[in-house]
Amino acid sequence: MSVAAASAGWTLVALAALAAPMALGNYGLHLLVLVCMYVALSSSWNILTLAGQLTLGHAGFFGVGAYTSALLALRLGVPFWAGMGAGALAAAVLAGVIGLVCLRLRGVYLAIATLSLVEALKIVVLNVPDVTEGSIGITLSPVFAGARRPAYHVMLAVAALPVLATVWIRRSKLHVVLGAIREDEGAAQMAGINTTAYKVFAFALSAAFAGLAGGFYPHYITYIVPDTAFSIGLSIEAQIMPILGGLYTVTGPVVGAVVLTLAGEYLRTRFGAANLLVYGVVMVVAILCLPGGLVGLAQRWRAPLRTRRARPPQEGVADVR
């Protein structure tokens, strides 16, 4: 797809997203807030995969952002906007420190280490009830007072940030560097690339966007508990969505988040916990049958059409005429 066509497509998507509140009620807007939150999580996780790193700890950074924002509002009366920024900063700093150690690991070892991070953070929050209220959780005064439209616009802006960051990376030299690390880290080191620095940068950038989404969440729901903030399921969902939509792309995490959030909500209202079963089945099917995700499937469908359109007239046909 050309840059002009892609820009036109994203412009239409942005206009539709801005106009959506005029056509939807409270429940529809609530679904869009959830879609935007998952777009932020899946797109931020996708940034890390550009450097070839696959982690299961994204919920940890979401939870750090949520608790940082909630605690600042509860204990110090920090405004909502400042709390969100502090949540993003706290998640980025934690990712930078953790990344220096964990990103030396690869493959399944990195996944297990980051998964342990989520559980460790939850245990810390549960065991300092004087600060975090423990398992009871934190209840906050509503920021949006039941008004879905401003909440949706805030979350839409948050979701746009990791998408724009991915566009920036893909159009800069950083994309080449991260791609070299992803394809062959040893060869990238031999070429003089400081692979640790680039991986930690991608890790911190990815965590910052997850922390920003987390900083929004408790003010929207008006409470937060450890099981929700540091949910392993949240990490898995953030991972499945880009895989289904298309890894390493700008569009893939957005498509995956929209499809799975809306499908999951439909199944949850119809079949209760059956949506968890669907996530598992979708992940297996996506890995086995859609290596490029839904975006890759669409590109394969368009390729024959472009080939037929560009194919010159055959000599035999010209002779008959």
Side-chain angles (χ1 to χ4, degrees):
M1 182 182 293
S2 67
V3 174
S7 300
W10 279 108
T11 301
L12 289 175
V13 171
L15 291 175
L18 290 172
M22 292 186 286
L24 296 174
N26 277 341
Y27 179 66
L29 285 173
H30 172 66
L31 287 182
L32 287 185
V33 170
L34 294 180
V35 167
C36 290
M37 188 185 81
Y38 280 110
V39 167
L41 286 174
S42 61
S43 295
S44 60
W45 185 82
N46 188 55
I47 290 174
L48 189 58
T49 67
L50 295 177
Q53 308 303 305
L54 302 178
T55 75
L56 287 173
H58 224 50
F61 304 120
F62 178 87
V64 167
Y67 265 91
T68 300
S69 177
L71 287 172
L72 287 175
L74 179 70
R75 307 295 185 194
L76 303 175
V78 173
F80 160 65
W81 295 101
M84 283 182 63
L89 181 62
V93 171
L94 177 65
V97 174
I98 298 295
L100 289 173
V101 179
C102 288
L103 293 179
R104 297 178 188 276
L105 304 173
R106 297 183 184 180
V108 66
Y109 300 104
L110 176 60
I112 292 174
T114 52
L115 183 64
S116 302
L117 170 68
V118 180
E119 286 299 306
L121 289 170
K122 187 199 302 187
I123 291 172
V124 169
V125 171
L126 285 170
N127 285 277
V128 284
D130 292 341
V131 179
T132 63
E133 305 293 337
S135 59
I136 298 174
I138 298 173
T139 301
L140 298 171
S141 301
V143 172
F144 302 103
R148 303 291 189 191
R149 186 174 295 190
Y152 166 68
H153 285 141
V154 172
M155 199 60 231
L156 181 64
V158 171
L161 292 177
V163 176
L164 293 174
T166 307
V167 172
W168 167 69
I169 290 173
R170 288 180 60 85
R171 293 184 179 180
S172 69
K173 293 181 180 178
L174 185 59
H175 179 56
V176 178
V177 174
L178 296 181
I181 295 173
R182 183 178 71 241
E183 295 301 327
D184 192 334
E185 185 173 345
Q189 289 174 335
M190 293 290 290
I193 296 175
N194 187 342
T195 57
T196 300
Y198 281 105
K199 288 192 298 183
V200 170
F201 170 75
F203 199 37
L205 184 64
S206 170
F209 293 128
L212 192 64
F216 167 85
Y217 186 74
H219 294 281
Y220 176 66
I221 301 296
T222 69
Y223 70 93
I224 190 71
V225 294
D227 286 341
T228 302
F230 300 100
S231 167
I232 298 298
L234 197 64
S235 285
I236 295 174
E237 287 169 345
Q239 185 178 5
I240 293 176
M241 290 169 178
I243 292 174
L244 176 68
L247 281 175
Y248 318 131
T249 65
V250 177
T251 313
V254 178
V255 172
V258 172
V259 170
L260 282 184
T261 303
L262 296 181
E265 183 67 13
Y266 172 76
L267 290 171
R268 187 186 65 80
T269 55
R270 289 291 302 270
F271 306 109
N275 63 323
L276 299 178
L277 176 62
V278 172
Y279 279 130
V281 172
V282 166
M283 186 171 184
V284 172
V285 172
I287 291 174
L288 292 178
C289 305
L290 299 173
L294 295 174
V295 172
L297 181 64
Q299 289 172 343
R300 288 202 298 273
W301 281 350
R302 284 202 305 267
L305 293 175
R306 287 199 297 265
T307 302
R308 284 197 294 270
R309 289 170 182 169
R311 184 178 299 165
Q314 297 179 3
E315 292 183 359
V317 174
D319 292 341
V320 170
R321 290 177 179 176

